[in-house]
Amino acid sequence: MRKKVTKAIFPVAGLGTRFLPATKSVPKEIMTLVDRPLIQYAIDEARAAGIEEFIFVTSRGKSALEDYFDNAPQLEAELRKKGKDDLLALLKSTDMASGAIAYIRQDKPLGLGHAVWCARRLIASDEPFAVILPDDVIDGEPPCLKQMVDAYEATGGSMVAAMEVPRDRIKSYGVLDCASEDGALVTVRGMVEKPAPEEAPSNLAVIGRYILTPDVMTRLGNMKSGSGGEVQLTDAIAEEIGGPAGVYGYRFRGQRFDCGSKSGFLQATVAFALSRPELRDDLLDYMREQVALDRAAQ
Ligand code: UTP
């Protein structure tokens, strides 16, 4: 029987420069879509996929993230006293089991691959693990990581979430060179980090969900820095290609928002607000008004 994926690494040690000045003091992962921080969406997705241990790779200035996962006894007592049971239930739904979270520091922002490697002592040598980038928010049913865990049970090889992106944006992504496709599953024969559009082997980009074999962790330890002077996670995964387990892309079903960019973050905010019955009508009215004003001004 294949070992189950029960641990997830959340690399959250990046500088978040695209959201300065907010990220001077607010970790990007605590920024909210409507009223839930980005990290909560990531945790919910991980839980739905059967993850039981949550490993955060953090850095200086991320203490708000740790506070978010602490109990809030005073707040709870106050809500209980006031009979606000619905808010209490909402708060309780974010509780994490004792000992389920671990925090590791990445001392320098040496890249995503390095951040994942910082968690190496918490992953056993025979243990597959997931990696979730909380700034990629994916609205999917079942949630994206659950789709991937199910597919991993059949393949056993390292797997990356994959999505088609327009050619002119391909240089922001890791890109897959595909050997063959079987439904949502793509067998990968090459991976290129941030290629120029004319050099990209396809328009299938790697998105921030991974299921990795323990071998990838070992490879990360031996890596030199790659594109942009950082240790690239895709380079370590690419070294698995041609090995016994292989490497796969998974074309997930769902909508992905790049919440690491302002425009993606705003789009996600609108999409999640529109999915809330109590906000939808007001927001639509406002948007219609704005579109009408914009048209009139042209
Ligand atoms: P990004 O490329 O989005 O970088 O990292 P960033 O620092 O978060 O944001 P910008 O580009 O400066 O605005 C992708 C993911 O990898 C993590 C980030 O926290 C984010 O989740 N990361 C990146 C690390 O944990 N450590 C690193 O050294 C680099």
Side-chain angles (χ1 to χ4, degrees):
M1 255 258 301
R2 216 178 285 297
K3 229 174 151 82
K4 274 195 169 324
V5 184
T6 59
K7 292 183 182 171
I9 299 175
F10 300 81
V12 293
L15 298 173
T17 53
R18 283 171 288 173
F19 281 96
L20 280 170
T23 42
K24 257 173 90 183
S25 68
V26 182
K28 184 169 59 173
E29 301 72 26
I30 286 293
M31 296 191 343
T32 58
L33 297 178
V34 188
D35 49 16
R36 295 165 80 76
L38 291 184
I39 196 66
Q40 189 65 53
Y41 290 88
I43 293 283
D44 291 349
E45 185 180 332
R47 277 180 165 154
I51 299 297
E52 292 161 3
E53 290 182 53
F54 306 81
I55 302 165
F56 291 93
V57 182
T58 68
S59 58
R60 178 173 289 277
K62 300 276 177 170
S63 50
L65 195 68
E66 298 189 23
D67 289 347
Y68 177 77
F69 290 114
D70 251 0
N71 275 345
Q74 247 179 338
L75 183 57
E76 281 177 25
E78 201 60 30
L79 292 174
R80 201 166 290 117
K81 207 166 82 189
K82 292 187 172 150
K84 301 205 163 170
D85 294 342
D86 47 344
L87 288 181
L88 202 57
L90 189 70
L91 209 58
K92 283 276 164 205
S93 72
T94 65
D95 275 2
M96 303 293 281
S98 292
I101 303 187
Y103 300 97
I104 299 279
R105 281 268 173 139
Q106 185 188 25
D107 54 344
K108 291 188 199 99
L110 295 178
L112 176 58
H114 179 260
V116 170
W117 178 74
C118 288
R120 65 197 176 283
R121 291 202 171 82
L122 297 180
I123 305 287
S125 61
D126 61 346
E127 199 171 41
F129 58 98
V131 175
I132 296 186
L133 305 191
D135 42 11
D136 271 336
V137 174
I138 302 176
D139 187 17
E141 195 46 54
C144 178
L145 192 68
K146 166 73 177 144
Q147 296 175 35
M148 291 174 68
V149 163
D150 289 346
Y152 169 81
E153 273 167 17
T155 62
S158 286
M159 184 177 288
V160 299
M163 182 183 102
E164 285 180 17
V165 299
R167 280 272 166 186
D168 59 334
R169 301 217 197 117
I170 208 86
K171 61 178 181 310
S172 310
Y173 294 90
V175 179
L176 300 182
D177 187 358
C178 312
S180 61
E181 301 206 20
D182 178 10
L185 203 62
V186 177
T187 302
V188 174
R189 69 171 165 218
M191 292 170 90
V192 192
E193 189 59 33
K194 302 188 172 69
E198 61 280 9
E199 281 160 19
S202 73
N203 65 345
L204 207 51
V206 177
I207 303 302
R209 302 288 181 278
Y210 309 77
I211 296 176
L212 302 177
T213 61
D215 289 351
V216 174
M217 191 62 98
T218 312
R219 290 184 191 283
L220 279 171
N222 301 327
M223 298 285 303
K224 302 216 166 39
S225 46
S227 162
E230 298 189 334
V231 177
Q232 298 292 345
L233 184 58
T234 37
D235 290 346
I237 301 170
E239 288 187 1
E240 292 280 287
I241 296 169
V247 173
Y248 300 88
Y250 189 84
R251 289 176 185 264
F252 58 91
R253 299 176 302 285
Q255 191 177 5
R256 174 259 187 177
F257 298 95
D258 174 10
C259 291
S261 77
K262 285 177 203 145
S263 129
F265 187 89
L266 290 170
Q267 286 167 26
T269 302
V270 171
F272 282 95
L274 288 176
S275 72
R276 303 271 284 262
E278 75 279 18
L279 299 174
R280 186 179 166 82
D281 290 348
D282 271 0
L283 182 58
L284 274 178
D285 283 349
Y286 176 74
M287 283 160 61
R288 284 193 196 103
E289 242 173 69
Q290 290 303 310
V291 171
L293 282 174
D294 194 52
R295 289 222 175 102
Q298 279 169 16

